[in-house]
């Protein structure tokens, strides 16, 4: 079976790996530039591609990590764009969004670090990124991840049998 591929992208330190760990139910660390793990939600399996943070410019290492993120985006059947709801939109988020708006696959905008209802109003500024409605989540506490995963499995194509 060929599983749908979901790229988890965003700038560094927004909680991409924490969200991936929450979804798969165990700690998975990136030891290279990206990590692929099989996850499932409500009986639907998919592959999550955890990438290092996407940064325009920067060092040679930043450029290498950014290229890995771009390759993951190109291979994906859906993209989970993770941003930091405690900080708000920064230039790097806008640059990632610009790249994702050119994508032909569904993009789910996960606004992380929304740990309680008091922060939920923060998510609406992220609509300005132009990649769809935001999903408030707390990767650390698991808050909102079910709604995000419901939307994800609805957005990815069904599993295909390999020939």
């Amino acid at each position: 079976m060929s599983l749908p591929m979901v790229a988890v992208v965003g700038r560094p330190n927004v909680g991409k790996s924490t969200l991936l760990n929450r979804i798969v139910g165990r700690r998975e660390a990136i030891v290279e530039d990206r990590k692929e793990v099989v996850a499932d939600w409500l009986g639907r399996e998919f592959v999550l591609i955890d990438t290092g943070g996407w940064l325009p410019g920067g060092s040679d290492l930043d450029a290498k990590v950014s290229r890995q993120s771009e390759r993951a985006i190109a291979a994906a059947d859906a993209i989970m764009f993770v941003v930091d709801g405690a900080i708000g939109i920064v230039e790097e988020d806008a640059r990632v969004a610009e790249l994702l708006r050119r994508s032909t696959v569904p993009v789910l905008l996960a606004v992380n670090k929304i740990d309680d209802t008091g922060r939920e109003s923060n998510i609406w500024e992220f609509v300005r990124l132009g990649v769809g409605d935001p999903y408030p989540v707390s990767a650390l506490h698991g808050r909102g991840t079910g709604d995000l995963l419901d939307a994800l499995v609805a957005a990815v194509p069904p599993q295909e049998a390999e020939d």
Side-chain angles (χ1 to χ4, degrees):
M1 297 290 268
S2 177
L3 298 177
M5 305 287 280
V6 179
V8 181
V9 301
R11 63 184 173 79
N13 302 316
V14 295
K16 296 179 301 296
S17 295
T18 304
L19 183 58
L20 177 132
N21 291 339
R22 172 65 59 184
I23 292 168
V24 299
R26 63 187 182 277
R27 287 186 57 88
E28 292 280 348
I30 294 182
V31 290
E32 297 293 328
D33 298 324
R34 72 188 228 178
K35 176 144 187 94
E36 296 183 11
V37 294
V38 175
D40 79 88
W41 181 249
L42 303 175
R44 289 280 313 273
E45 286 191 325
F46 49 93
V47 175
L48 288 172
I49 307 168
D50 189 9
T51 62
W54 190 90
L55 277 175
S59 69
D60 288 342
L61 178 60
D62 291 339
K64 181 180 177 191
V65 171
S66 294
R67 281 193 303 276
Q68 278 294 343
S69 294
E70 290 167 15
R71 280 199 276 288
I73 290 166
D77 296 300
I79 298 163
M80 192 177 296
F81 177 23
V82 184
V83 294
D84 186 333
I87 292 178
I89 296 173
V90 298
E91 180 185 346
E92 289 87 358
D93 295 328
R95 299 276 300 273
V96 175
E98 183 180 321
L99 178 70
L100 296 180
R101 284 193 301 271
R102 294 191 295 259
S103 176
T104 59
V105 300
V107 176
L108 290 101
L109 178 59
V111 182
N112 192 25
K113 303 182 185 179
I114 306 298
D115 299 331
D116 57 54
T117 55
R119 285 190 173 173
E120 230 169 85
S121 62
N122 296 358
I123 70 168
W124 296 109
E125 79 170 283
F126 290 93
V127 171
R128 293 189 338 229
L129 293 172
V131 294
D133 288 340
Y135 290 87
V137 298
S138 171
L140 189 60
H141 303 293
R143 185 174 187 275
T145 55
D147 291 339
L148 176 65
L149 289 169
D150 286 346
L152 176 65
V153 297
V156 295
Q159 293 173 214
E160 296 176 8
E162 292 183 0
D163 295 333

